[in-house]
Amino acid sequence: MKLTPCLSLLAFYLSGSLAFAGSEYEPEFFEDFGDDEDLISIATGYEKPISKAPAVATVITASDIRKMGATDIDEVLEAVPGLHVARDVPGYNPIYTFRGIYSSLNPQVLMLINGVPFKSLFQGDRHLVWAGYPVENVSRIEIIRGPGSAVYGADAFAGVINVITKQGDEAKGLHSGLRTGSFDTTEFWASYGGESNGLKYLFSFEYEDTDGQREAVDSDAQSVLDFLGGTSLSLAPDSVNLGREAYDFRADVSWGDWRFQADYQNREGQVGVGVVQALDPSGLVSSDRYGVSIGYKETDLADDWQLEANASYRSTTQEVEQDILLFPAGSTGGPSPFPFSNGIIGNPEVYEHHFYFDASALYTALADHEIRIGSGYYLGDLYRVRDERNFTQTLIGQFPVIVPLQPDASVVDVSDTPLAFITEGARTNKYLFIQDVWHLDNDWELTAGIRYDDYSDFGSTVNPRLALVWSTSHNLTTKFLYGQAFRAPSFAQTRAINNPSILGNPNLMPEELESYELAFDYKPSVDVHLDANLFFYRWDDIILFEPDPAGRRAQNAGEQTGYGLELNAEWEVSDQFTLSGNLSLIDTTDERTGTSAGNAPEQQVYLRSDWQLAPDWHLNVQANWVMGRERVAVDIRPEIDDYLMVDSTLRFAPGDRDWEFAVIVKNLFDEDAREPSPSGDITAMPIPLPALIPNDLPLAGRAIFGEFRYRFGQ
C-alpha cells in the first residue's frame, strides 16, 4: 500500500487547519467549543477532555450504542478508527485488530470492565468461551489505540478497551426490553436503579438465546485429510455452529466515596467451525464467570491530595458440556494408521482465580504539576485442569501422529496425570508507577509516566510513555506521543505439554512494542470535529510456535512493523441530521519475510448517518467497507475479498410515552462477507498443508430484528 497520496491529503488538511488557527475571529465564535466534549479517564487515571488527553482515544456513549442498534460490543467497536473486528476459529471469538496487529486469540488487547482487567491466564485473551458481551447495561466505552502499559501494565499493547457500566443515577426506575428476530434469536433485559440520599444503586439482568448464523463452510480440515487419504469423512459442506445461551447479572451500589460491584456471567455455546478447523455439530462448551470489587475514591483527603484504591476478585471457568469432536467418526486426525470409530474427542477444562489490588494518589501542590503515584498486586491462579480425551500424540520422525489412548478409543480422564494438556500454576505481579502531568505553559502540557512490573515467572519489565499536548489554537490541538508496552506470555505458551503441535516454553520473554504517534484534533466550527493521526510501531519478540526436535515449541521469534494514518470526521449538518465517519490506512511488514504481515485490512472506511426524520422517528444507517487484506507469506491463496456491510436502524420513540419500538437490519444488502481463516501449516505434516478452511470464515447474511423497550419510571 502506498501512503504518499494520503500524506498529501493530510498536509492539505493541516495547512487549512493552521491557516484557520491563525485567523482573527470574534471570541463568541469559540464560546460553545468543548461544552459537550466527552471526558475520558482511561488515558491518565482521571477524567480529562478527550481532545486534551495524552492518547489517541475514542468514547462511545450509551446514546450512540442505542442509535446504532448495536446488540453486542463487537458491533460497537467496528466504528472505531483503526480498529477492525475479525473472527477466530473457535466459537468465532472476536479478534480486535488495532492498527494491523492481528493474532489468533488476540492477547495483545486489554479489556477492562470498570477499570478491572478481564482476561484469562490460559490463553491470555478475554476467554475462549466468550460468546458475546451485551451492551444494554453499558454507560460508555473508552478505547485507546496504541500502547497503554505505562498505566495498565501487561497486555495494554495494541489497544485498551474500558467498558464502563451504568450506575443508579443513569437508569432510574425499572427499564426492560425485548429483542427477537433472525437465527431464532431472543434477547431480554431489565434493570432497576435509583438514587436516594447519596446512595446510588442499580441491579440488572440480560439474557440471550440464539441459534447463531448458519452460513456454510465448503471445506474443512477433514476435507484435506480425505483428499490425502482417499476417504470421505468430512461433514463439510455444512453450516458453522454458533448457537449460544447467555446470562448476565450485575449489581452496582455506591455511597459517598465507596463503590461496590458484583457480576455473574454464564455462557454456553457451540464451537463455530470446530476447535481444530473440522466441523463439530455437537460440541458444547460453557463458562461461569463471576466477580466482586470494591473501590474507594477520596477527592478531599487532605490539601492537594486525592486517593483511590480498588480491590477485585474474579473467577472464570472453561468447561465442556458435550464432547468436543476434534475430527469426525472414522478419522485418523492425520498421518496415522489408527482410525477412531467414534471420532477424535478432546475435552480440556481450566479453572482460574484472579485477585487484584491497586492504590494511587494524585498530588497537586506543586505549581503546574499533577503527580500521580501508585502501586498494585496481582495474583492469577490456574488452580484446576481437567482433561478427558480418547487420544494422545507422539512423534514419528519430525511429525506428530495421533494414536488412541485405549484400544477401543474410549474417552479417558487424564486429569492429574502426566498426560494432562497443561500444568497447573500461579503467577504474581507487583508493580509501581509514577506519572507527572506538567503544565509547561498555557498552551503546552507534558505527560511523562513510567511503570515497573515484576512477575514471578518471567522477571521484570519497565515501560515509559511521553505525551506532549499543544493547544495550538482555540480549535486545534496537536499531540506528540511515544510509548512502550509488553504482552505477558500466556500459560498455554509457557506450560502446555503432551502436544507436539503446541509445546510450552517456560523461558519465554514478553512481547514488546514501541510506538510513535502524531495526532491532531481540530474543530473548524461548533458543528464540525476532525481528527487526524499518524503512527509508527515496532512489535518485537512475537511469540510463535516454531519447529523444535520435540515438535513445535513457543519461541520469541517474530518481528513486525506498521505505520499508517487515521482520519475521523463528525458533522452536525442540522439539528435533525448528523454525519460521521472515519478512514484508516495501514501498512504492516513481517520483518522476517519482508512481506505484508497479512490478515488485517490495509484500508477501512466507516460511515454513519443519524437522521431525526420526525419528532418521534430516528433513522441510523452505517456502512463499513473493509479492504486490502493480504495473506501471510506462507499462504498462497489470493487476497481476501473486500466487503461492504450496511446496517440500518429505524426507531419510533414517542416523547409522551414510556415505550419505544425499533427495527434493526444487519447486512442490509446480504453481502457475502468473510474473515480470514488460518493459513496452511508447513511444519505439521510430511507435505505442506494448504489452508484447512480455504474459503475463509463466512459472516452472517442479512438479519432482521424487532426491539421493544419499556420504562416504568425515571
Side-chain angles (χ1 to χ4, degrees), residues 360-505:
S360 63
L362 180 64
Y363 181 61
T364 58
L366 297 178
D368 301 322
H369 290 268
E370 297 172 359
I371 299 174
R372 185 169 177 251
I373 57 174
S375 65
Y377 176 80
Y378 164 70
L379 167 63
D381 187 7
L382 199 166
Y383 68 93
R384 185 182 181 192
V385 171
R386 291 194 61 195
D387 189 350
E388 295 181 347
R389 49 194 161 99
N390 65 350
F391 72 96
T392 188
Q393 283 187 290
T394 187
L395 285 179
I396 296 181
Q398 293 179 287
F399 307 105
V401 173
I402 295 175
V403 297
L405 271 172
Q406 298 289 335
D408 62 354
S410 58
V411 174
V412 179
D413 187 347
V414 297
S415 309
D416 301 317
T417 77
L419 291 176
F421 70 97
I422 195 170
T423 59
E424 298 170 0
R427 164 183 287 170
T428 62
N429 170 221
K430 295 171 285 187
Y431 61 87
L432 298 167
F433 69 86
I434 184 168
Q435 172 185 274
D436 181 16
V437 179
W438 183 8
H439 303 277
L440 299 169
D441 190 69
N442 288 337
D443 300 328
W444 293 87
E445 185 175 281
L446 176 66
T447 300
I450 191 166
R451 173 165 160 155
Y452 169 80
D453 287 82
D454 183 51
Y455 279 80
S456 58
D457 51 352
F458 62 80
S460 61
T461 178
V462 177
N463 291 271
R465 73 157 174 171
L466 291 171
L468 183 61
V469 179
W470 175 28
S471 298
T472 317
S473 72
H474 291 287
N475 59 341
L476 174 65
T477 301
T478 305
K479 304 178 184 181
F480 308 89
L481 310 173
Y482 169 79
Q484 294 181 10
F486 73 102
R487 198 275 285 186
S490 71
F491 276 21
Q493 293 168 333
T494 60
R495 309 179 74 95
I497 55 176
N498 297 319
N499 183 349
S501 298
I502 304 175
L503 291 171
N505 180 357

Side-chain angles (χ1 to χ4, degrees), residues 70-72 134-136 177-181 184-189 206-210 244 705-708:
T71 61
D72 187 88
V135 294
E136 295 304 326
L178 175 68
R179 186 184 298 120
T180 187
D184 199 19
T185 298
T186 299
E187 298 173 80
F188 172 78
W189 62 91
E206 296 173 84
Y207 170 77
E208 179 190 28
D209 181 52
T210 180
R244 67 175 184 255
F705 303 93
E707 177 184 286
F708 180 78

Side-chain angles (χ1 to χ4, degrees), residues 60-61 64-66 68-80 85-87 91-96 111 126 129-138 141 161 163 179 185 187 189 206-208 210 244-246 248 265 267 289 622 647 664 666 705 707 709:
I60 300 175
T61 65
D64 293 323
I65 294 170
R66 181 166 155 269
M68 294 162 65
T71 61
D72 187 88
I73 190 174
D74 296 348
E75 298 168 3
V76 179
L77 295 175
E78 196 67 54
V80 177
V85 182
R87 293 291 160 184
Y92 265 43
N93 286 340
I95 300 175
Y96 300 137
M111 177 171 282
R126 271 78 57 192
V129 189
W130 176 243
Y133 193 96
V135 294
E136 295 304 326
N137 195 42
V138 172
I141 303 172
I161 301 165
V163 179
R179 186 184 298 120
T185 298
E187 298 173 80
W189 62 91
E206 296 173 84
Y207 170 77
E208 179 190 28
T210 180
R244 67 175 184 255
E245 189 173 30
D248 288 75
Q265 296 179 325
R267 299 288 187 269
R289 307 194 284 260
Q622 302 173 87
D647 301 336
I664 302 167
K666 306 292 184 182
F705 303 93
E707 177 184 286
R709 296 170 182 262

Side-chain angles (χ1 to χ4, degrees), residues 495-628:
R495 309 179 74 95
I497 55 176
N498 297 319
N499 183 349
S501 298
I502 304 175
L503 291 171
N505 180 357
N507 298 316
L508 286 176
M509 298 302 294
E511 297 179 349
E512 297 181 342
L513 181 132
E514 188 173 32
S515 172
Y516 302 85
E517 301 175 74
L518 175 62
F520 304 89
D521 186 291
Y522 175 48
K523 295 183 179 179
S525 72
V526 294
D527 302 324
V528 178
H529 187 186
L530 304 173
D531 296 309
N533 312 304
L534 286 165
F535 63 85
F536 170 81
Y537 64 80
R538 181 177 294 277
W539 176 14
D540 293 318
D541 293 329
I542 302 173
I543 299 173
L544 304 170
F545 286 93
E546 297 284 286
D548 178 274
R552 297 172 67 241
R553 192 176 300 277
Q555 304 284 356
N556 293 108
E559 182 180 337
Q560 177 177 319
T561 57
Y563 65 97
L565 166 68
E566 299 158 348
L567 297 174
N568 184 68
E570 300 174 23
W571 179 22
E572 188 177 341
V573 182
S574 68
D575 290 341
Q576 290 77 39
F577 188 63
T578 301
L579 283 173
S580 59
N582 57 69
L583 164 69
S584 303
L585 303 171
I586 301 167
D587 193 303
T588 62
T589 302
D590 181 341
E591 295 296 333
R592 299 181 305 165
T593 63
T595 61
S596 170
N599 293 323
E602 292 187 341
Q603 306 97 33
Q604 188 171 357
V605 176
Y606 171 83
L607 297 173
R608 169 183 164 186
S609 66
D610 289 286
W611 188 8
Q612 194 71 37
L613 299 170
D616 299 332
W617 291 89
H618 182 272
L619 176 65
N620 171 277
V621 179
Q622 302 173 87
N624 188 38
W625 191 7
V626 176
M627 299 167 281

